[in-house]
Coordinates of all heavy atoms in Angstrom, one line a residue:
L1 N 0.8 -1.2 0.0 CA 0.0 0.0 0.0 C 0.9 1.3 0.0 O 0.6 2.2 -0.8 CB -0.8 0.0 1.2 CG -1.9 1.3 1.4 CD1 -2.7 1.5 0.2 CD2 -2.6 1.2 2.6
S2 N 1.9 1.3 0.8 CA 2.7 2.5 0.8 C 3.5 2.8 -0.5 O 3.6 3.8 -0.9 CB 3.6 2.4 2.2 OG 4.6 1.4 1.9
N3 N 3.9 1.6 -0.9 CA 4.6 1.8 -2.3 C 3.7 2.4 -3.4 O 4.0 3.4 -4.1 CB 5.1 0.4 -2.8 CG 6.0 0.6 -4.0 OD1 6.8 1.5 -4.2 ND2 5.9 -0.3 -4.9
A4 N 2.4 1.9 -3.5 CA 1.5 2.5 -4.4 C 1.1 3.9 -4.1 O 1.1 4.8 -5.0 CB 0.2 1.6 -4.4
L5 N 1.0 4.3 -2.9 CA 0.7 5.6 -2.5 C 1.9 6.6 -2.8 O 1.7 7.8 -3.2 CB 0.4 5.8 -1.0 CG -1.0 5.2 -0.5 CD1 -1.1 5.1 0.9 CD2 -2.0 5.9 -1.2
I6 N 3.1 6.1 -2.5 CA 4.2 7.0 -2.8 C 4.5 7.1 -4.3 O 4.8 8.2 -4.8 CB 5.5 6.4 -2.1 CG1 5.4 6.5 -0.6 CG2 6.9 7.1 -2.6 CD1 6.4 5.6 0.2
R7 N 4.5 6.1 -5.1 CA 4.9 6.0 -6.4 C 3.8 6.3 -7.5 O 4.1 6.8 -8.6 CB 5.6 4.8 -6.7 CG 7.0 4.7 -6.0 CD 7.7 3.6 -6.3 NE 8.9 3.2 -5.5 CZ 9.4 3.8 -4.4 NH1 8.8 4.7 -3.8 NH2 10.5 3.3 -3.7
H8 N 2.5 6.0 -7.1 CA 1.6 6.0 -8.2 C 0.2 6.9 -7.9 O -0.6 7.1 -8.7 CB 1.0 4.6 -8.5 CG 2.1 3.6 -8.8 ND1 2.8 3.7 -10.0 CD2 2.7 2.6 -8.1 CE1 3.8 2.8 -10.1 NE2 3.7 2.1 -8.9
N9 N 0.3 7.4 -6.7 CA -0.9 8.2 -6.3 C -0.8 9.6 -6.9 O 0.2 10.3 -6.7 CB -0.9 8.4 -4.8 CG -2.1 9.3 -4.3 OD1 -3.2 9.2 -4.9 ND2 -1.8 10.1 -3.4
R10 N -1.9 10.0 -7.6 CA -1.9 11.3 -8.2 C -3.2 12.0 -7.6 O -3.6 13.1 -8.1 CB -1.8 11.3 -9.6 CG -0.4 11.0 -10.0 CD -0.2 11.0 -11.5 NE 1.1 10.9 -12.0 CZ 1.9 9.8 -11.9 NH1 1.4 8.7 -11.2 NH2 3.1 9.8 -12.4
T11 N -4.1 11.3 -6.9 CA -5.3 11.9 -6.6 C -5.7 11.9 -5.0 O -6.4 12.7 -4.7 CB -6.4 11.2 -7.4 OG1 -6.4 9.8 -7.1 CG2 -6.4 11.4 -8.9
L12 N -5.2 10.8 -4.3 CA -5.7 10.7 -2.9 C -5.1 11.8 -2.1 O -4.1 12.2 -2.1 CB -5.1 9.4 -2.4 CG -5.5 9.1 -0.9 CD1 -6.9 8.8 -0.8 CD2 -4.7 7.9 -0.4
Q13 N -6.1 12.5 -1.4 CA -5.8 13.7 -0.6 C -5.9 13.5 0.8 O -5.3 14.1 1.7 CB -6.5 14.9 -1.1 CG -6.3 15.4 -2.4 CD -7.1 16.6 -2.8 OE1 -8.2 16.9 -2.2 NE2 -6.7 17.3 -3.7
D14 N -6.8 12.5 1.2 CA -7.1 12.2 2.6 C -7.1 10.8 2.9 O -7.7 10.1 2.4 CB -8.5 12.8 2.9 CG -8.9 12.8 4.3 OD1 -8.1 12.1 5.2 OD2 -9.8 13.5 4.8
L15 N -6.3 10.4 4.0 CA -6.0 9.0 4.2 C -6.2 8.8 5.8 O -5.5 9.4 6.5 CB -4.7 8.5 3.7 CG -4.4 7.0 4.1 CD1 -5.3 6.0 3.6 CD2 -2.9 6.6 3.7
S16 N -7.1 8.1 6.1 CA -7.3 7.8 7.6 C -7.0 6.4 7.9 O -7.7 5.4 7.3 CB -8.9 8.0 8.0 OG -9.0 7.7 9.4
L17 N -6.0 6.2 8.7 CA -5.6 4.9 9.2 C -6.0 4.8 10.7 O -5.5 3.9 11.4 CB -4.1 4.6 9.0 CG -3.7 4.7 7.6 CD1 -2.1 4.7 7.4 CD2 -4.3 3.6 6.8
K18 N -6.7 5.6 11.1 CA -7.2 5.6 12.5 C -7.7 4.4 13.1 O -8.5 3.6 12.5 CB -8.3 6.8 12.8 CG -8.7 7.0 14.2 CD -9.7 8.1 14.2 CE -10.1 8.4 15.6 NZ -11.1 9.5 15.8
N19 N -7.2 4.1 14.3 CA -7.6 2.9 15.0 C -7.3 1.6 14.4 O -8.0 0.6 14.3 CB -9.1 2.9 15.3 CG -9.5 2.1 16.5 OD1 -8.6 1.8 17.4 ND2 -10.7 1.7 16.5
N20 N -6.1 1.7 13.6 CA -5.7 0.4 12.8 C -4.6 -0.2 13.6 O -3.5 0.3 13.7 CB -5.3 0.9 11.4 CG -4.8 -0.3 10.6 OD1 -4.4 -1.3 11.0 ND2 -4.9 0.0 9.2
R21 N -4.9 -1.3 14.1 CA -3.9 -2.0 15.0 C -2.8 -2.6 14.2 O -1.7 -3.0 14.8 CB -4.7 -3.1 15.9 CG -5.2 -4.2 15.1 CD -6.0 -5.2 16.0 NE -6.7 -6.1 15.1 CZ -6.3 -7.4 14.9 NH1 -5.2 -7.8 15.5 NH2 -6.9 -8.2 14.1
F22 N -2.9 -2.7 13.0 CA -1.8 -3.0 12.2 C -0.8 -2.0 11.7 O 0.2 -2.3 11.1 CB -2.4 -3.8 10.8 CG -3.2 -5.1 11.1 CD1 -4.6 -4.9 10.9 CD2 -2.7 -6.1 11.6 CE1 -5.4 -6.0 11.2 CE2 -3.5 -7.2 11.9 CZ -4.9 -7.1 11.6
I23 N -1.0 -0.9 12.2 CA 0.0 0.2 12.0 C 0.8 0.2 13.2 O 0.4 0.7 14.2 CB -0.7 1.6 11.8 CG1 -1.7 1.6 10.6 CG2 0.4 2.7 11.6 CD1 -1.0 1.2 9.3
T24 N 2.0 -0.4 13.1 CA 2.8 -0.7 14.3 C 4.2 0.1 14.1 O 4.4 0.7 13.0 CB 3.2 -2.1 14.4 OG1 3.9 -2.5 13.2 CG2 1.8 -3.0 14.5
P25 N 5.1 0.1 15.0 CA 6.4 0.7 14.9 C 7.1 0.3 13.6 O 7.8 1.0 13.0 CB 7.1 0.3 16.2 CG 6.1 0.1 17.1 CD 4.9 -0.5 16.4
I26 N 6.9 -0.9 13.2 CA 7.5 -1.4 11.9 C 7.0 -0.6 10.7 O 7.7 -0.4 9.7 CB 7.2 -3.0 11.7 CG1 8.0 -3.7 12.7 CG2 7.7 -3.4 10.4 CD1 7.6 -5.1 12.8
S27 N 5.8 -0.1 10.8 CA 5.1 0.8 9.7 C 5.8 2.1 9.6 O 5.5 2.8 8.6 CB 3.7 0.9 9.9 OG 3.0 -0.4 10.3
C28 N 6.4 2.5 10.6 CA 6.9 4.0 10.8 C 7.8 4.3 9.5 O 7.7 5.4 9.0 CB 7.7 4.1 12.1 SG 8.2 5.9 12.2
R29 N 8.6 3.5 9.1 CA 9.6 3.7 7.9 C 8.7 4.0 6.7 O 9.0 5.0 6.0 CB 10.6 2.6 7.7 CG 11.5 2.9 6.7 CD 12.5 1.8 6.4 NE 11.9 1.1 5.2 CZ 12.1 -0.1 4.8 NH1 12.8 -0.8 5.3 NH2 11.4 -0.7 3.7
F30 N 7.8 3.2 6.5 CA 6.9 3.3 5.3 C 6.1 4.7 5.5 O 5.9 5.4 4.4 CB 6.0 2.1 5.1 CG 6.8 0.9 5.0 CD1 6.9 -0.1 6.0 CD2 7.5 0.7 3.8 CE1 7.6 -1.2 5.9 CE2 8.2 -0.6 3.7 CZ 8.3 -1.4 4.7
L31 N 5.6 5.0 6.6 CA 4.8 6.3 6.7 C 5.8 7.4 6.6 O 5.3 8.3 5.9 CB 4.2 6.3 8.2 CG 3.1 5.2 8.4 CD1 2.7 5.1 9.8 CD2 1.8 5.6 7.4
L32 N 7.0 7.3 7.0 CA 7.9 8.5 6.8 C 8.2 8.6 5.4 O 8.2 9.8 4.9 CB 9.3 8.1 7.6 CG 9.2 8.3 9.0 CD1 10.5 7.8 9.7 CD2 9.1 9.7 9.5
D33 N 8.4 7.6 4.6 CA 8.5 7.6 3.1 C 7.3 8.2 2.5 O 7.4 9.1 1.6 CB 8.9 6.3 2.6 CG 10.2 5.7 2.8 OD1 11.1 6.6 3.2 OD2 10.4 4.6 2.6
L34 N 6.2 7.9 2.9 CA 4.9 8.4 2.4 C 4.8 9.9 2.6 O 4.5 10.7 1.7 CB 3.6 7.8 3.1 CG 2.4 8.4 2.7 CD1 2.1 8.1 1.2 CD2 1.2 7.6 3.6
I35 N 5.2 10.4 3.8 CA 5.1 11.9 4.2 C 6.1 12.5 3.3 O 5.9 13.6 2.8 CB 5.3 12.0 5.7 CG1 4.2 11.5 6.3 CG2 5.5 13.5 5.9 CD1 4.3 11.5 7.9
R36 N 7.4 11.9 3.1 CA 8.5 12.7 2.4 C 8.2 12.7 0.9 O 8.5 13.7 0.3 CB 9.7 11.9 2.6 CG 10.4 12.1 3.8 CD 11.7 11.3 3.8 NE 12.2 11.2 5.1 CZ 12.4 10.0 5.8 NH1 12.3 9.0 5.1 NH2 12.8 10.0 7.0
N37 N 7.5 11.6 0.2 CA 7.5 11.6 -1.2 C 6.1 11.8 -1.8 O 6.1 12.0 -3.0 CB 8.1 10.2 -1.6 CG 9.4 10.0 -1.1 OD1 10.3 10.8 -1.5 ND2 9.7 9.0 -0.4
N38 N 5.0 11.7 -1.0 CA 3.7 11.9 -1.6 C 3.4 13.4 -1.7 O 3.5 14.1 -0.8 CB 2.7 11.1 -0.8 CG 1.3 11.1 -1.7 OD1 0.7 12.1 -1.8 ND2 0.9 10.0 -1.9
R39 N 3.0 13.8 -2.9 CA 2.7 15.3 -3.2 C 1.3 15.6 -3.2 O 0.9 16.8 -3.3 CB 3.4 15.6 -4.6 CG 4.8 15.5 -4.5 CD 5.5 16.4 -3.6 NE 7.0 16.1 -3.5 CZ 7.6 15.9 -2.4 NH1 7.0 15.9 -1.2 NH2 8.9 15.6 -2.4
T40 N 0.3 14.6 -3.1 CA -1.1 15.0 -3.2 C -1.8 14.9 -1.9 O -2.8 15.5 -1.6 CB -1.9 14.0 -4.2 OG1 -1.7 12.7 -3.8 CG2 -1.3 14.3 -5.6
L41 N -1.2 14.1 -0.9 CA -1.8 13.8 0.4 C -1.8 15.1 1.2 O -0.7 15.8 1.4 CB -1.0 12.8 1.0 CG -1.8 12.1 2.2 CD1 -3.1 11.4 1.8 CD2 -0.9 11.1 2.9
I42 N -3.0 15.6 1.7 CA -3.0 16.8 2.5 C -3.5 16.5 3.9 O -3.3 17.2 4.8 CB -3.9 17.9 1.9 CG1 -5.3 17.4 1.6 CG2 -3.1 18.4 0.7 CD1 -6.2 18.5 1.0
E43 N -4.1 15.3 4.1 CA -4.5 14.8 5.5 C -4.2 13.4 5.7 O -4.4 12.5 4.9 CB -6.0 15.0 5.6 CG -6.4 16.5 5.6 CD -7.5 16.9 6.5 OE1 -7.8 16.1 7.4 OE2 -8.1 17.9 6.3
L44 N -3.5 13.1 6.9 CA -3.2 11.7 7.3 C -3.5 11.6 8.7 O -3.0 12.3 9.5 CB -1.7 11.5 7.0 CG -1.2 10.1 7.4 CD1 -1.8 8.9 6.7 CD2 0.4 10.0 7.2
D45 N -4.3 10.6 9.0 CA -4.8 10.3 10.4 C -4.2 8.9 10.8 O -4.6 7.9 10.2 CB -6.3 10.4 10.5 CG -6.7 10.3 11.9 OD1 -6.0 9.9 12.9 OD2 -7.9 10.6 12.3
I46 N -3.3 9.0 11.8 CA -2.7 7.9 12.3 C -2.9 7.7 13.8 O -2.2 7.1 14.5 CB -1.1 7.6 12.0 CG1 -0.3 8.9 12.5 CG2 -1.0 7.4 10.5 CD1 1.0 8.8 12.6
S47 N -4.0 8.3 14.3 CA -4.4 8.3 15.7 C -4.9 6.9 16.1 O -5.5 6.2 15.3 CB -5.4 9.3 16.1 OG -6.5 9.2 15.4
Q48 N -4.7 6.5 17.4 CA -5.2 5.3 17.9 C -4.7 4.1 17.2 O -5.4 3.1 17.1 CB -6.7 5.3 18.0 CG -7.2 6.5 18.8 CD -8.7 6.7 18.7 OE1 -9.5 5.8 18.3 NE2 -9.2 7.7 19.1
C49 N -3.5 4.2 16.7 CA -2.8 3.0 16.0 C -1.9 2.4 17.0 O -1.9 2.8 18.2 CB -2.1 3.5 14.8 SG -3.1 4.0 13.4
S50 N -1.2 1.5 16.7 CA -0.2 0.7 17.6 C 1.2 1.4 17.5 O 2.2 0.6 17.6 CB -0.2 -0.7 17.2 OG -1.5 -1.3 17.5
L51 N 1.3 2.7 17.4 CA 2.6 3.3 17.3 C 3.0 3.8 18.6 O 2.1 4.1 19.5 CB 2.6 4.5 16.4 CG 2.3 4.3 14.9 CD1 2.0 5.5 14.1 CD2 3.5 3.5 14.3
T52 N 4.3 3.7 19.0 CA 4.9 4.2 20.2 C 5.0 5.7 20.2 O 4.8 6.3 19.1 CB 6.2 3.5 20.6 OG1 7.1 4.1 19.6 CG2 6.2 2.1 20.5
K53 N 5.3 6.3 21.3 CA 5.5 7.8 21.4 C 6.6 8.1 20.4 O 6.6 9.1 19.7 CB 5.8 8.1 22.8 CG 6.1 9.7 22.9 CD 6.4 10.0 24.4 CE 6.6 11.4 24.6 NZ 6.8 11.9 25.8
K54 N 7.7 7.3 20.4 CA 8.9 7.6 19.6 C 8.4 7.7 18.1 O 8.8 8.6 17.5 CB 9.8 6.6 19.7 CG 11.1 6.7 18.8 CD 12.0 5.5 19.1 CE 13.3 5.6 18.1 NZ 14.1 4.5 18.2
E55 N 7.7 6.8 17.7 CA 7.3 6.8 16.3 C 6.3 8.0 15.9 O 6.5 8.6 14.9 CB 6.6 5.4 15.8 CG 7.6 4.3 15.5 CD 8.1 3.7 16.8 OE1 7.3 3.7 17.8 OE2 9.2 3.1 16.7
N56 N 5.4 8.2 16.8 CA 4.5 9.3 16.6 C 5.4 10.7 16.5 O 5.1 11.5 15.6 CB 3.5 9.4 17.8 CG 2.3 8.7 17.6 OD1 1.5 8.9 16.7 ND2 2.2 7.6 18.3
L57 N 6.3 10.8 17.3 CA 7.1 12.0 17.3 C 7.9 12.1 16.0 O 8.1 13.2 15.4 CB 8.0 12.1 18.5 CG 7.3 12.2 19.9 CD1 8.3 12.2 21.0 CD2 6.3 13.4 20.0
L58 N 8.6 10.9 15.6 CA 9.3 11.0 14.3 C 8.4 11.4 13.1 O 8.8 12.2 12.3 CB 9.9 9.7 14.0 CG 11.0 9.2 14.9 CD1 11.3 7.6 14.6 CD2 12.2 9.9 14.5
L59 N 7.2 10.9 13.1 CA 6.2 11.3 12.1 C 5.9 12.7 12.1 O 5.7 13.4 11.1 CB 5.1 10.3 12.1 CG 5.4 8.9 11.8 CD1 4.3 8.0 12.2 CD2 5.7 8.7 10.3
I60 N 5.6 13.2 13.3 CA 5.3 14.7 13.4 C 6.4 15.5 13.0 O 6.2 16.5 12.3 CB 4.8 14.9 14.9 CG1 3.5 14.3 15.3 CG2 4.9 16.4 15.2 CD1 3.2 14.3 16.8
D61 N 7.6 15.2 13.4 CA 8.7 16.0 12.9 C 8.8 16.1 11.4 O 9.2 17.0 10.8 CB 10.0 15.5 13.6 CG 10.2 15.9 15.0 OD1 9.5 16.8 15.5 OD2 11.1 15.3 15.7
Q62 N 8.7 14.8 10.7 CA 8.7 14.8 9.4 C 7.6 15.6 8.7 O 7.8 16.3 7.7 CB 8.7 13.4 8.9 CG 8.9 13.2 7.3 CD 10.2 13.6 6.8 OE1 11.2 13.4 7.5 NE2 10.2 14.5 5.9
A63 N 6.4 15.5 9.3 CA 5.2 16.2 8.7 C 5.4 17.8 8.9 O 5.0 18.5 8.0 CB 4.0 15.8 9.4
R64 N 6.2 18.2 9.9 CA 6.6 19.6 9.9 C 7.3 20.2 8.7 O 7.2 21.3 8.5 CB 7.3 19.9 11.1 CG 6.5 20.0 12.4 CD 7.3 20.2 13.6 NE 6.5 20.5 14.8 CZ 6.9 20.6 16.0 NH1 8.3 20.6 16.2 NH2 6.2 20.8 17.1
L65 N 8.0 19.3 8.1 CA 8.7 19.7 6.9 C 7.9 19.7 5.7 O 8.3 20.1 4.6 CB 9.9 18.8 6.7 CG 10.9 18.7 7.9 CD1 11.9 17.6 7.6 CD2 11.5 20.1 8.1
C66 N 6.6 19.3 5.8 CA 5.7 19.2 4.7 C 4.5 20.1 5.1 O 3.5 19.6 5.5 CB 5.2 17.8 4.4 SG 6.6 16.7 4.0
P67 N 4.6 21.5 4.9 CA 3.5 22.4 5.4 C 2.2 22.1 4.8 O 1.1 22.4 5.4 CB 4.0 23.7 5.1 CG 5.1 23.5 4.1 CD 5.6 22.2 4.2
S68 N 1.9 21.5 3.6 CA 0.7 21.2 3.1 C 0.0 20.0 3.7 O -1.2 19.7 3.5 CB 0.7 21.0 1.6 OG 1.6 19.9 1.3
L69 N 0.7 19.2 4.6 CA 0.1 18.0 5.1 C -0.4 18.2 6.6 O 0.3 18.8 7.4 CB 1.2 16.9 5.2 CG 0.8 15.5 5.8 CD1 -0.4 14.9 5.0 CD2 1.9 14.7 6.0
R70 N -1.5 17.9 6.8 CA -2.1 17.8 8.2 C -2.1 16.5 8.8 O -2.8 15.6 8.3 CB -3.6 18.4 8.2 CG -4.1 18.4 9.6 CD -5.5 19.1 9.5 NE -6.1 19.0 10.8 CZ -7.3 18.5 11.0 NH1 -8.1 18.2 10.1 NH2 -7.7 18.4 12.3
L71 N -1.3 16.2 9.7 CA -1.1 14.9 10.4 C -1.9 14.9 11.7 O -1.6 15.7 12.5 CB 0.4 14.6 10.5 CG 0.7 13.3 11.2 CD1 0.3 12.2 10.3 CD2 2.3 13.3 11.5
T72 N -2.7 13.8 11.9 CA -3.4 13.6 13.1 C -2.7 12.4 13.8 O -2.7 11.3 13.3 CB -4.8 13.5 13.1 OG1 -5.3 14.6 12.3 CG2 -5.6 13.3 14.4
T73 N -2.2 12.6 15.1 CA -1.6 11.5 15.8 C -2.1 11.5 17.3 O -3.0 12.3 17.6 CB 0.0 11.6 15.8 OG1 0.2 12.7 16.8 CG2 0.6 11.8 14.5
D74 N -1.5 10.6 18.1 CA -1.9 10.6 19.5 C -1.1 11.6 20.3 O -1.2 11.7 21.5 CB -1.7 9.2 20.0 CG -2.8 8.3 19.4 OD1 -3.8 8.7 19.1 OD2 -2.3 7.0 19.3
R75 N -0.3 12.3 19.7 CA 0.7 13.2 20.4 C 0.4 14.6 20.0 O 0.0 14.9 19.0 CB 2.1 12.9 20.0 CG 2.5 11.5 20.4 CD 2.6 11.3 21.8 NE 2.7 9.9 22.2 CZ 2.5 9.3 23.3 NH1 2.2 10.0 24.3 NH2 2.6 8.0 23.5
E76 N 0.8 15.6 20.9 CA 0.7 17.0 20.6 C 1.9 17.5 19.9 O 3.0 17.1 20.3 CB 0.5 17.8 21.9 CG -0.8 17.4 22.6 CD -2.0 17.9 21.8 OE1 -2.0 18.9 21.1 OE2 -3.0 17.1 21.8
P77 N 1.8 18.4 18.9 CA 3.1 18.8 18.2 C 4.0 19.4 19.1 O 5.2 19.5 18.8 CB 2.4 19.9 17.3 CG 1.0 19.4 17.0 CD 0.7 18.8 18.4
D78 N 3.6 20.1 20.2 CA 4.6 20.7 21.1 C 5.5 19.8 21.9 O 6.4 20.2 22.5 CB 4.0 21.8 22.0 CG 2.9 21.1 23.0 OD1 2.7 19.9 22.8 OD2 2.6 21.8 23.9
E79 N 5.3 18.5 21.8 CA 6.1 17.4 22.4 C 7.3 17.2 21.5 O 8.2 16.5 21.8 CB 5.4 16.1 22.6 CG 4.3 16.2 23.5 CD 3.5 14.9 23.7 OE1 4.2 13.9 24.0 OE2 2.3 14.8 23.6
C80 N 7.4 17.7 20.3 CA 8.4 17.3 19.3 C 9.4 18.5 19.1 O 9.0 19.7 19.2 CB 7.7 17.1 17.9 SG 6.4 15.9 18.2
I81 N 10.4 18.0 18.8 CA 11.6 19.0 18.4 C 12.3 18.4 17.1 O 12.7 17.2 17.0 CB 12.7 19.1 19.5 CG1 12.1 19.5 20.8 CG2 13.9 19.9 19.1 CD1 13.0 19.4 22.0
I82 N 12.4 19.3 16.1 CA 13.1 19.0 14.8 C 14.6 19.1 15.2 O 15.0 20.2 15.5 CB 12.5 19.8 13.7 CG1 11.1 19.6 13.4 CG2 13.5 19.5 12.5 CD1 10.5 20.5 12.4
V83 N 15.3 18.1 14.8 CA 16.8 18.2 15.0 C 17.5 18.1 13.7 O 16.9 17.6 12.7 CB 17.3 17.1 15.9 CG1 16.9 17.3 17.3 CG2 16.9 15.8 15.5

């Protein structure tokens, strides 16, 4: 799914993965790639997934570099620091 979204998506703007127990820390790398490389996505909801605080913070930090993307997670943006 992430490969298709990164390389072939030209229309999807809103993706909700909310409450998806299959979105785990292992998924973080793919979600990071999605945020970095997808140019049409403007909303991504990964709240209530099986991500740890660390992964949520990594994704928030990456999303800050993509101002057109609105990311919804279980963490507040002020908990994050871009390094």
Side-chain angles (χ1 to χ4, degrees):
L1 177 62
S2 65
N3 186 37
L5 289 173
I6 292 168
R7 296 185 188 3
H8 304 291
N9 176 43
R10 288 182 173 66
T11 56
L12 183 67
Q13 294 182 339
D14 189 346
L15 177 61
S16 177
L17 300 172
K18 183 177 183 173
N19 204 25
N20 185 331
R21 65 186 172 102
F22 298 109
I23 303 298
T24 66
I26 294 170
S27 310
C28 186
R29 188 186 93 197
F30 301 104
L31 291 169
L32 286 168
D33 285 345
L34 174 64
I35 293 170
R36 281 186 200 118
N37 298 306
N38 190 294
R39 299 294 174 232
T40 61
L41 197 61
I42 55 175
E43 296 216 20
L44 176 60
D45 186 345
I46 55 168
S47 59
Q48 301 173 13
C49 292
S50 299
L51 295 169
T52 67
K53 179 179 179 178
K54 177 183 175 183
E55 281 80 28
N56 273 290
L57 297 179
L58 284 170
L59 292 163
I60 290 170
D61 282 346
Q62 184 61 48
R64 283 183 171 170
L65 302 174
C66 304
S68 62
L69 178 65
R70 179 173 173 229
L71 179 66
T72 305
T73 71
D74 295 328
R75 302 288 168 197
E76 293 298 320
D78 60 352
E79 295 181 51
C80 306
I81 299 172
I82 298 177
V83 289

